[in-house]
Protein backbone atom coordinates (compact mmCIF):
# COMPACT_ATOMS: atom_id res chain seq x y z
CA UNK A 1 0.00 0.00 0.00
CA UNK A 2 1.24 3.46 -0.88
CA UNK A 3 -0.77 5.18 1.88
CA UNK A 4 -1.15 8.91 1.27
CA UNK A 5 0.74 10.29 -1.73
CA UNK A 6 1.36 13.99 -2.19
CA UNK A 7 2.76 15.64 -5.29
CA UNK A 8 4.84 17.64 -5.90
CA UNK A 9 7.31 17.48 -3.00
CA UNK A 10 8.69 20.95 -3.70
CA UNK A 11 7.31 23.92 -5.63
CA UNK A 12 8.28 27.54 -6.17
CA UNK A 13 5.56 29.90 -7.38
CA UNK A 14 5.50 33.54 -8.30
CA UNK A 15 2.96 35.78 -6.61
CA UNK A 16 -0.35 35.56 -8.43
CA UNK A 17 0.25 32.18 -10.02
CA UNK A 18 -2.14 29.32 -9.45
CA UNK A 19 -1.42 25.68 -8.82
CA UNK A 20 -2.93 22.46 -7.51
CA UNK A 21 -1.40 20.30 -4.81
CA UNK A 22 -2.33 16.70 -5.37
CA UNK A 23 -3.26 14.19 -2.67
CA UNK A 24 -4.26 10.57 -3.23
CA UNK A 25 -4.88 7.70 -0.82
CA UNK A 26 -5.40 4.02 -1.50
CA UNK A 27 -6.86 2.96 1.85
CA UNK A 28 -10.53 3.68 1.03
CA UNK A 29 -10.61 6.32 3.76
CA UNK A 30 -13.70 8.51 3.85
CA UNK A 31 -12.11 11.39 5.73
CA UNK A 32 -9.39 13.54 4.15
CA UNK A 33 -7.94 16.87 5.17
CA UNK A 34 -5.33 19.48 4.32
CA UNK A 35 -3.10 21.15 6.92
CA UNK A 36 -0.41 23.76 6.64
CA UNK A 37 2.60 23.75 8.93
CA UNK A 38 4.47 26.93 9.78
CA UNK A 39 7.33 27.31 12.28
CA UNK A 40 6.04 27.71 15.83
CA UNK A 41 2.41 27.40 14.70
CA UNK A 42 1.89 23.65 14.66
CA UNK A 43 -0.52 22.33 12.04
CA UNK A 44 -3.57 24.32 11.08
CA UNK A 45 -6.54 22.85 9.25
CA UNK A 46 -7.31 24.36 5.84
CA UNK A 47 -10.14 22.22 4.44
CA UNK A 48 -11.50 18.77 5.05
CA UNK A 49 -13.85 16.25 3.48
CA UNK A 50 -15.94 13.51 5.08
CA UNK A 51 -16.65 11.78 1.77
CA UNK A 52 -16.89 12.22 -1.97
CA UNK A 53 -18.83 15.37 -2.81
CA UNK A 54 -18.64 16.75 0.75
CA UNK A 55 -16.12 19.38 1.79
CA UNK A 56 -15.95 22.03 4.48
CA UNK A 57 -13.67 24.79 5.72
CA UNK A 58 -11.18 24.50 8.51
CA UNK A 59 -9.38 27.14 10.53
CA UNK A 60 -7.48 28.87 7.68
CA UNK A 61 -9.41 28.37 4.40
CA UNK A 62 -8.87 31.77 2.74
CA UNK A 63 -7.02 31.57 -0.56
CA UNK A 64 -7.59 27.83 -0.98
CA UNK A 65 -10.21 25.74 -2.77
CA UNK A 66 -10.91 22.02 -2.61
CA UNK A 67 -13.18 19.49 -4.22
CA UNK A 68 -13.68 15.75 -3.68
CA UNK A 69 -15.00 13.96 -6.74
CA UNK A 70 -13.68 10.53 -5.76
CA UNK A 71 -12.89 8.78 -2.47
CA UNK A 72 -9.22 8.53 -3.43
CA UNK A 73 -8.33 12.12 -4.40
CA UNK A 74 -8.49 15.43 -2.57
CA UNK A 75 -6.64 18.20 -4.45
CA UNK A 76 -5.92 21.60 -2.92
CA UNK A 77 -6.00 24.60 -5.25
CA UNK A 78 -4.27 27.92 -4.76
CA UNK A 79 -6.06 30.37 -7.02
CA UNK A 80 -3.66 33.33 -6.74
CA UNK A 81 -0.58 32.53 -4.69
CA UNK A 82 0.63 35.00 -2.07
CA UNK A 83 3.89 35.02 -0.07
CA UNK A 84 1.82 34.32 3.07
CA UNK A 85 1.04 30.92 1.59
CA UNK A 86 4.68 29.88 1.78
CA UNK A 87 4.44 26.82 3.99
CA UNK A 88 4.64 23.05 4.17
CA UNK A 89 1.35 21.43 3.26
CA UNK A 90 0.25 18.04 4.55
CA UNK A 91 -2.61 15.90 3.39
CA UNK A 92 -4.06 13.36 5.81
CA UNK A 93 -6.69 10.66 5.67
CA UNK A 94 -8.55 8.51 8.15
CA UNK A 95 -11.10 5.73 8.22
CA UNK A 96 -13.04 7.68 10.83
CA UNK A 97 -12.60 11.37 11.35
CA UNK A 98 -12.66 11.21 15.09
CA UNK A 99 -10.86 8.38 16.83
CA UNK A 100 -8.89 6.38 14.32
CA UNK A 101 -5.79 8.51 13.94
CA UNK A 102 -4.71 10.06 10.69
CA UNK A 103 -2.27 8.82 8.05
CA UNK A 104 -0.20 11.71 6.75
CA UNK A 105 1.48 12.26 3.42
CA UNK A 106 5.12 13.33 3.28
CA UNK A 107 4.25 16.94 2.54
CA UNK A 108 4.66 19.58 -0.16
CA UNK A 109 7.06 22.42 0.55
CA UNK A 110 5.74 25.52 -1.23
CA UNK A 111 7.60 28.80 -1.61
CA UNK A 112 5.84 31.85 -3.06
CA UNK A 113 8.18 34.62 -4.20
CA UNK B 1 -13.71 25.51 21.40
CA UNK B 2 -11.02 22.94 21.83
CA UNK B 3 -7.39 23.87 22.24
CA UNK B 4 -4.08 22.19 22.97
CA UNK B 5 -1.12 23.65 24.84
CA UNK B 6 2.30 22.07 24.70
CA UNK B 7 4.60 23.43 27.37
CA UNK B 8 8.07 24.07 26.03
CA UNK B 9 8.78 24.51 22.36
CA UNK B 10 12.17 22.87 22.83
CA UNK B 11 13.22 20.16 25.30
CA UNK B 12 16.75 18.82 25.58
CA UNK B 13 17.69 15.63 27.44
CA UNK B 14 20.76 13.43 27.69
CA UNK B 15 20.80 9.98 26.16
CA UNK B 16 19.40 7.55 28.73
CA UNK B 17 17.47 10.21 30.64
CA UNK B 18 13.73 10.41 31.14
CA UNK B 19 11.76 12.12 28.41
CA UNK B 20 8.72 14.14 29.52
CA UNK B 21 6.77 16.21 27.02
CA UNK B 22 3.80 18.08 28.42
CA UNK B 23 0.38 18.51 26.85
CA UNK B 24 -2.73 20.11 28.30
CA UNK B 25 -6.03 20.40 26.51
CA UNK B 26 -9.27 22.21 26.89
CA UNK B 27 -12.46 20.52 25.79
CA UNK B 28 -16.05 20.65 26.88
CA UNK B 29 -16.44 16.90 26.50
CA UNK B 30 -14.04 13.99 27.10
CA UNK B 31 -11.85 14.13 24.02
CA UNK B 32 -9.81 11.76 21.96
CA UNK B 33 -6.10 12.48 22.44
CA UNK B 34 -3.13 11.77 20.21
CA UNK B 35 0.63 12.14 20.07
CA UNK B 36 2.37 12.35 16.70
CA UNK B 37 6.08 12.44 15.90
CA UNK B 38 7.69 14.20 12.95
CA UNK B 39 11.24 13.42 11.89
CA UNK B 40 13.06 16.02 9.78
CA UNK B 41 11.60 16.49 6.31
CA UNK B 42 8.96 13.84 6.86
CA UNK B 43 5.23 13.67 7.52
CA UNK B 44 3.66 12.97 10.89
CA UNK B 45 3.51 9.48 12.33
CA UNK B 46 1.04 8.38 15.01
CA UNK B 47 2.82 7.49 18.26
CA UNK B 48 -0.18 6.64 20.41
CA UNK B 49 -3.77 7.58 21.10
CA UNK B 50 -6.34 7.59 23.88
CA UNK B 51 -9.97 7.06 22.98
CA UNK B 52 -11.62 5.06 25.78
CA UNK B 53 -10.66 2.53 28.44
CA UNK B 54 -7.29 2.39 30.17
CA UNK B 55 -5.92 5.85 30.80
CA UNK B 56 -2.28 4.77 30.44
CA UNK B 57 -1.61 4.08 26.78
CA UNK B 58 1.50 2.61 25.27
CA UNK B 59 2.77 3.53 21.85
CA UNK B 60 5.58 2.77 19.49
CA UNK B 61 9.28 3.18 20.27
CA UNK B 62 8.78 2.81 24.05
CA UNK B 63 6.66 5.92 24.51
CA UNK B 64 3.59 6.07 26.71
CA UNK B 65 1.12 8.71 27.85
CA UNK B 66 -1.42 8.99 30.61
CA UNK B 67 -4.80 10.66 30.28
CA UNK B 68 -5.58 12.59 33.47
CA UNK B 69 -9.06 14.05 33.25
CA UNK B 70 -8.78 16.00 36.51
CA UNK B 71 -5.65 17.75 35.23
CA UNK B 72 -6.78 17.92 31.58
CA UNK B 73 -3.38 16.54 30.66
CA UNK B 74 -1.91 13.93 28.35
CA UNK B 75 1.83 14.04 28.95
CA UNK B 76 4.17 11.89 26.87
CA UNK B 77 6.98 9.97 28.58
CA UNK B 78 9.78 7.57 27.78
CA UNK B 79 11.99 6.14 30.54
CA UNK B 80 15.26 6.30 28.61
CA UNK B 81 15.95 8.62 25.68
CA UNK B 82 17.75 7.39 22.60
CA UNK B 83 19.50 9.50 19.99
CA UNK B 84 16.93 8.33 17.44
CA UNK B 85 14.15 9.99 19.49
CA UNK B 86 15.29 13.44 18.36
CA UNK B 87 12.31 14.81 16.46
CA UNK B 88 9.36 17.15 16.84
CA UNK B 89 6.37 15.90 18.80
CA UNK B 90 2.80 17.10 18.42
CA UNK B 91 -0.10 16.60 20.79
CA UNK B 92 -3.55 16.69 19.22
CA UNK B 93 -7.13 16.58 20.44
CA UNK B 94 -10.39 15.67 18.77
CA UNK B 95 -13.90 15.80 20.11
CA UNK B 96 -16.16 12.87 19.49
CA UNK B 97 -18.15 14.42 16.67
CA UNK B 98 -21.89 14.88 16.49
CA UNK B 99 -23.95 17.92 17.36
CA UNK B 100 -22.49 19.82 14.43
CA UNK B 101 -18.90 18.98 15.21
CA UNK B 102 -16.87 17.03 12.70
CA UNK B 103 -14.28 15.81 15.15
CA UNK B 104 -11.33 17.34 13.36
CA UNK B 105 -7.88 17.10 14.93
CA UNK B 106 -6.61 20.24 16.63
CA UNK B 107 -2.83 20.27 17.05
CA UNK B 108 -0.56 21.88 19.57
CA UNK B 109 2.37 23.98 18.35
CA UNK B 110 4.84 21.17 18.82
CA UNK B 111 7.85 20.39 21.03
CA UNK B 112 11.23 19.79 19.47
CA UNK B 113 13.15 17.12 21.38
CA UNK B 114 16.95 17.13 21.28
CA UNK B 115 18.95 14.23 22.69
CA UNK B 116 22.54 14.87 23.76
CA UNK B 117 25.10 12.05 23.71
Amino acid sequence: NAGVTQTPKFQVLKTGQSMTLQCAQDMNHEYMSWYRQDPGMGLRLIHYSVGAGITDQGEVPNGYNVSRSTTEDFPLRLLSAAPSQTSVYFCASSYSFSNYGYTFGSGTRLTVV
Amino acid sequence: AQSVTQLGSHVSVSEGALVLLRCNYSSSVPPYLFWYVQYPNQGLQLLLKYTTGATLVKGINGFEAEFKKSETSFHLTKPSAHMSDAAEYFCAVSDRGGGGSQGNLIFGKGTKLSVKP
Side-chain angles (χ1 to χ4, degrees), chain A residues 31 35 37 40-43 45 48 50 90 97-102 104-106 109, chain B residues 32 34 36 38 41-44 49 51 90 94-96 102-105 107-109:
Chain A
Y31 179 88
Y35 287 85
Q37 182 180 25
M41 300 292 289
L43 280 80
L45 182 65
Y48 65 95
V50 298
F90 288 101
F97 61 75
S98 193
N99 67 344
Y100 220 74
Y102 293 3
F104 280 83
S106 58
R109 186 174 295 273
Chain B
Y32 296 136
F34 305 81
Y36 284 84
Q38 184 181 32
N41 300 314
Q42 294 187 25
L44 278 72
K49 63 179 180 179
T51 54
F90 293 92
S94 166
D95 66 31
R96 292 166 185 252
Q102 293 298 329
N104 292 307
L105 274 188
F107 285 86
K109 296 188 187 311

Side-chain angles (χ1 to χ4, degrees), chain A residues 19-81:
Chain A
M19 81 160 294
T20 299
L21 280 62
Q22 301 291 345
C23 175
Q25 52 91 9
D26 62 358
M27 297 170 285
N28 202 32
H29 285 171
E30 289 296 320
Y31 179 88
M32 297 185 73
S33 56
W34 277 101
Y35 287 85
R36 60 177 289 172
Q37 182 180 25
D38 303 291
M41 300 292 289
L43 280 80
R44 293 180 291 169
L45 182 65
I46 304 172
H47 285 285
Y48 65 95
S49 169
V50 298
I54 306 169
T55 63
D56 206 346
Q57 297 180 350
E59 179 186 357
V60 288
N62 292 341
Y64 307 95
N65 276 358
V66 292
S67 60
R68 183 101 178 267
S69 56
T70 67
T71 299
E72 293 78 20
D73 299 298
F74 191 44
L76 178 71
R77 282 182 288 276
L78 283 69
L79 301 177
S80 179

